[in-house]
């Protein structure tokens, strides 16, 4: 997981609960091909790799080379086989119509709000536009006053260019925007004039963002230059190193980017990722540096004289830093506090020994905080749902902000003084921005609120706890229509993630609503590996403890069956990215438990993942085959290496994107080949490989619709479901 993720409203507002990355869209084969009646045969080529004395056969290693003509031919044949099956499924066109209605719902969504110099910016998602666009908001209470600042569809009418993120100057007069194409996440930064919406001439800086190390930028106080993350260019490093060794450089407006100056990072790890920020007065700059994806950070500070100093090291366990309005920097530390504590560090004496505890560790897991004039808003995890607690700058408790029950809260933006805007959403309430008045302790919904295309008023959310193999209690949120009979006959869809310190919080998802509309039960498991209960919860699901995640998920599935929500042949599971790995491990460890599996852009060969660029960043989360103990754990659960011949596997749909910078599509190719070889059941093992997208960020709306039509047609067929048109509302009789 990268420090700087896509800020598009599409990513913020329409993600499936399966994963924190949008799914990959419809496949495009290189050429039309006659539909195959059965799965294409996959040649096996002898290959044996030895790890610490253990010989591991890898007959499908040849499928790793995406540029190889034989691999392309195999890929096209698999896509043709997939299309031959999916295109003929019953109810497909009815599903298409309903999914299109839901995902194309014209109620706009707003994400990534940022205030600068009295100007409020946002990324707006407005179907049927294919991509989100950047707007200037005149008022959060009157959207008619907003102005489009930058529309990627104007830059690239094909719909394949997306906004990665943006950063305005402190006065809000200029704005730097990173944009990337076709899901690559390889973003160049262009500077725009906010008043005119036009780009400044010759102010484009290449390769600031990437899908491996992410990217960041922050302006100087006068808005005449910015610090930014720079990836190696040209021949500066060998090709194998060009997605690594991210450093901090400075760019002065009006000068060629070739003359940009080095600032920081020559001694950073190869897999460093840096997040930059400027203090409210513009005098200080912070750099929070991650050691890959495993959750280790160090903090650097630039003082008013331009001198950089190191505030914390990896072992200090400081994981967040934000500037206050009171001459201090606030830090989130997990040193001797696995659920987190907040420190106050005076900028005049920026060494950790001068820091004082403002918010001590409590029962909830602190995820972040937001300093205002005289208080701190502290975002806390409660095992999935979150809350927003308040303290003054000395730590005195001021209560919690009123929010929806069983909901997610975040995205804070200052409204002057101690008032803030924040996002709040739940499983049954669409995302909206709210204004909190500190003086009155009141919350009011703004005009930046999505409406729902379906009625979920008859849906209830049950919070249950499954018991994992080692006795750990695992939270599961279960959505069902009121009155649903617990007789074991309901189709159910279970999802989870479990990794990278990412909490899976309640989120309004129209596709979950679609599933419920069809009489299904929808469930989300909060697995170890996330940060729902702090660093201990994360550590118990990472490195050599990763098997706990799969045990947790199986326990959640077993709970749904044992409590008669469903039965195995009616239970579907889905997940993406790290959640795709979860799907691979789940189907290989307990194939009898599931009726259908949807594995999106996942990792399946745990022995060779670290050979890919982003796989290097994942080592701090998953481990490495170079370590004997970690190799043993990786080999024990690696989905590819645990497919067993002669097993009756359920129907499985794998998706991949050719431009994926985070998970190489070879994982899906190898896993599909191995499962097609091994299964003794007639259930299809399908590959849906997309030639024009990546991990999911920047997926055009139409392509996303196509994928979801395929996914739900596939799941409906596997579980024996028949599409039912939604009941039409009957208008109430007019009073006489």
């Amino acid at each position: 997981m990268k420090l700087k993720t896509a800020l598009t409203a599409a990513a913020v507002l329409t993600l499936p609960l399966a994963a924190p990355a949008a799914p990959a869209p419809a496949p495009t084969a290189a050429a039309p091909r006659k539909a195959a009646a059965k799965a294409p045969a996959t040649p096996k080529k002898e290959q044996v790799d030895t790890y610490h004395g253990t010989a591991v056969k890898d007959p499908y290693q040849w499928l790793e080379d995406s540029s190889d003509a034989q691999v392309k031919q195999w890929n096209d044949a698999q896509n043709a086989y997939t299309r031959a099956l999916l295109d003929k499924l019953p109810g497909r066109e009815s599903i298409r119509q309903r999914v299109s209605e839901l995902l194309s719902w014209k109620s706009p969504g707003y994400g990534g709000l940022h205030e600068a110099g009295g100007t409020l910016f946002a990324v707006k998602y407005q179907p049927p536009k294919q991509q989100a666009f950047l707007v200037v908001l005149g008022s959060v209470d009157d959207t008619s006053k907003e102005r489009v600042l930058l529309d990627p569809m104007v830059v690239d009418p094909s719909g394949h260019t997306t906004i990665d993120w943006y950063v305005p100057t402190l006065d809000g007069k200029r704005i730097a925007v990173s944009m990337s194409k076709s899901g690559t996440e390889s973003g160049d930064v262009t500077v725009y004039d906010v008043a005119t919406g036009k780009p400044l001439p010759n102010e484009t800086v290449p390769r600031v963002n990437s899908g491996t190390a992410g990217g960041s930028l922050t302006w100087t106080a006068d808005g005449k230059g910015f610090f930014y993350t720079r990836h190696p260019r040209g021949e500066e490093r060998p090709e194998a190193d060009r997605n690594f060794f991210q450093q901090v450089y400075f760019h002065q407006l009006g000068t060629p980017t070739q003359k940009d100056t080095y600032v920081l990072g020559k001694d950073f790890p190869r897999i460093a990722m840096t997040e930059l920020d400027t203090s409210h007065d513009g005098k200080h700059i912070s750099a929070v540096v991650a050691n890959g994806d495993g959750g280790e950070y160090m903090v650097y500070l630039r003082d008013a004289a331009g001198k950089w100093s190191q505030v914390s090291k990896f072992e200090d366990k400081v994981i967040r830093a934000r500037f206050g309005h009171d001459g201090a920097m606030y830090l989130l530390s997990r040193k001797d506090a696995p659920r987190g504590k907040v420190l106050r560090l005076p900028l005049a004496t920026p060494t950790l020994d001068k820091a004082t505890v403002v918010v001590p560790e409590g029962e909830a897991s602190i995820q972040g905080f937001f300093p205002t004039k005289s208080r701190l808003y502290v975002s806390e995890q409660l095992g999935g749902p979150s809350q927003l607690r308040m303290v003054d700058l000395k730590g005195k408790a001021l209560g919690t902000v009123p929010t929806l029950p069983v909901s997610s809260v975040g995205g804070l933006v200052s409204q002057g003084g101690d008032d803030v805007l924040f996002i709040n959403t739940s499983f049954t309430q669409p995302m909206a921005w709210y204004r909190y008045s500190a003086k009155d302790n009141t919350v009011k919904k703004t005009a930046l609120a999505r409406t729902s295309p379906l009625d979920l008023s008859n849906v209830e959310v049950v919070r249950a706890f499954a018991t994992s193999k080692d006795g750990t209690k695992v939270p599961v949120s279960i959505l069902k229509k009121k009155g649903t009979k617990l007789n074991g006959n309901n189709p159910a869809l279970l999802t989870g993630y479990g990794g990278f310190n990412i909490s899976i919080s309640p989120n309004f998802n129209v596709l979950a609503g679609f599933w419920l509309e069809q009489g299904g039960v929808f469930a989300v498991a909060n697995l170890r590996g996330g940060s729902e209960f702090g660093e201990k919860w994360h550590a118990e699901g990472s490195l050599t403890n990763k098997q706990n995640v799969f045990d947790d998920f199986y326990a959640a599935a077993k709970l749904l069956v044992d409590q008669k929500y469903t039965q195995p042949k009616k239970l579907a599971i889905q997940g993406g990215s790290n959640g795709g790995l979860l799907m691979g491990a789940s189907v290989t460890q307990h194939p009898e438990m599931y009726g259908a599996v949807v594995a999106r852009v996942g990792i399946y060969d745990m022995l060779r993942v670290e050979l890919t660029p982003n796989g290097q960043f994942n080592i701090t989360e998953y481990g490495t085959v170079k370590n004997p103990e970690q190799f043993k754990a990786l080999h024990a659960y690696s989905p590819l290496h645990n497919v067993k011949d002669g097993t009756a596997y359920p129907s499985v749909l794998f998706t991949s994107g050719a431009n994926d910078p985070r998970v190489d599509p070879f994982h899906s190719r190898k896993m599909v080949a191995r499962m097609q070889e091994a299964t003794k059941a007639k259930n299809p093992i399908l590959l849906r490989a997309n030639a024009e997208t990546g991990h999911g960020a920047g997926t055009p709306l139409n392509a996303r619709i196509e994928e979801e039509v395929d996914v739900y047609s596939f799941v409906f067929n596997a579980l024996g479901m028949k599409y039912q048109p939604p009941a039409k509302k009957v208008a109430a009789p007019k009073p006489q």
Side-chain angles (χ1 to χ4, degrees), residues 332-584:
L332 174 54
S333 170
R334 286 185 173 151
K335 184 79 168 181
D336 302 319
R339 290 185 298 277
K341 59 186 176 183
V342 180
L343 312 178
R344 183 184 184 276
L345 180 64
L347 292 172
T349 55
T351 56
L352 272 185
D353 62 317
K354 300 297 192 298
T356 56
V357 177
V358 178
V359 183
E361 182 183 33
E363 290 300 314
S365 172
I366 299 176
Q367 302 292 292
F369 54 88
F370 186 79
T372 57
K373 184 177 180 181
S374 66
R375 64 175 63 185
L376 286 176
Y377 290 84
V378 183
S379 174
E380 297 179 322
Q381 257 291 321
L382 303 165
S386 58
Q387 69 179 13
L388 201 56
R389 191 156 63 92
M390 300 173 289
V391 299
D392 68 15
L393 297 184
K394 293 184 178 180
K396 179 183 176 182
L398 299 174
T400 58
V401 174
T403 54
L404 299 169
V406 192
S407 67
S408 300
V409 59
L412 274 71
V413 178
S414 176
Q415 283 284 278
D418 291 322
D419 293 354
V420 293
L421 295 172
F422 66 93
I423 296 171
N424 197 200
T425 184
S426 74
F427 287 118
T428 58
Q429 294 290 321
M431 193 191 92
W433 286 88
Y434 295 80
R435 179 190 287 108
Y436 174 71
S437 170
K439 180 181 179 181
D440 304 326
N441 192 36
T442 57
V443 169
K444 181 182 178 182
K445 184 186 288 189
T446 72
L448 309 183
R450 295 205 83 182
T451 60
S452 173
L454 35 69
D455 181 10
L456 297 184
S457 60
N458 66 337
V459 172
E460 60 181 338
V461 180
V462 178
R463 286 281 287 171
F465 288 86
T467 302
S468 195
K469 185 177 181 179
D470 63 359
T472 299
K473 299 298 182 182
V474 179
V476 185
S477 296
I478 305 169
L479 283 65
K480 64 182 181 68
K481 285 185 177 180
K482 295 174 183 176
T484 296
K485 294 180 179 180
L486 303 187
N487 56 13
N489 291 324
N490 305 300
L493 183 56
L494 171 65
T495 186
Y497 189 75
F500 296 93
N501 248 314
I502 295 171
S503 299
I504 305 302
S505 295
N507 179 32
F508 185 80
N509 179 354
V510 292
L511 295 179
F514 167 67
W515 183 258
L516 293 163
E517 190 177 69
Q518 294 298 309
V521 172
F522 189 87
V524 181
N526 291 106
L527 314 171
R528 280 177 284 184
S531 62
E532 285 87 346
F533 295 105
E535 177 54 30
K536 183 174 182 289
W537 189 256
H538 167 240
E540 288 180 354
S542 63
L543 297 173
T544 57
N545 296 320
K546 189 68 177 178
Q547 179 59 41
N548 286 333
V549 180
F550 315 133
D551 292 340
D552 291 355
F553 192 75
Y554 176 65
K558 196 168 185 300
L559 178 144
L560 294 177
V561 172
D562 290 347
Q563 296 190 5
K564 304 293 186 182
Y565 285 97
T566 190
Q567 56 183 288
K569 69 179 182 180
K570 291 182 175 290
L571 175 58
I573 57 175
Q574 71 161 330
S577 193
N578 176 74
L581 163 61
L582 173 64
M583 296 300 100

Side-chain angles (χ1 to χ4, degrees), residues 39 63 70 89 177 198 219 221 232 245 280 316 319 331 419 429-430 625 637:
L63 285 171
Q70 189 179 6
L89 293 179
V177 184
K198 295 181 179 180
W219 290 89
F245 296 106
H280 302 286
D316 294 319
I319 64 170
L331 309 171
D419 293 354
Q429 294 290 321
V625 296
Y637 73 76

Side-chain angles (χ1 to χ4, degrees), residues 123-140:
V123 177
K124 183 178 181 180
Y125 177 67
Q126 176 69 79
K129 277 186 173 289
Q130 297 298 301
Q131 297 286 353
F133 49 100
L134 187 59
V135 297
V136 174
L137 296 171
S139 166
V140 294

Side-chain angles (χ1 to χ4, degrees), residues 200-222:
L200 272 61
N202 303 315
E203 291 296 351
T204 295
V205 180
R207 297 205 70 213
V208 176
N209 194 71
S210 77
T212 51
S216 186
L217 178 154
T218 198
W219 290 89
T220 55
D222 59 10

Side-chain angles (χ1 to χ4, degrees), residues 1-3 273-275 287-300 310 312-320 332 334 500-501:
M1 184 64 183
K2 305 306 154 200
L3 282 173
M273 305 181 293
T274 301
E275 183 83 0
V288 179
V289 184
N291 183 27
D293 294 325
E296 295 180 320
Y297 300 87
M298 53 186 176
V299 178
Y300 287 79
Q310 186 170 4
S312 69
K313 300 178 180 179
F314 293 136
E315 57 267 29
D316 294 319
K317 297 185 178 181
V318 172
I319 64 170
R320 300 280 186 277
L332 174 54
R334 286 185 173 151
F500 296 93
N501 248 314

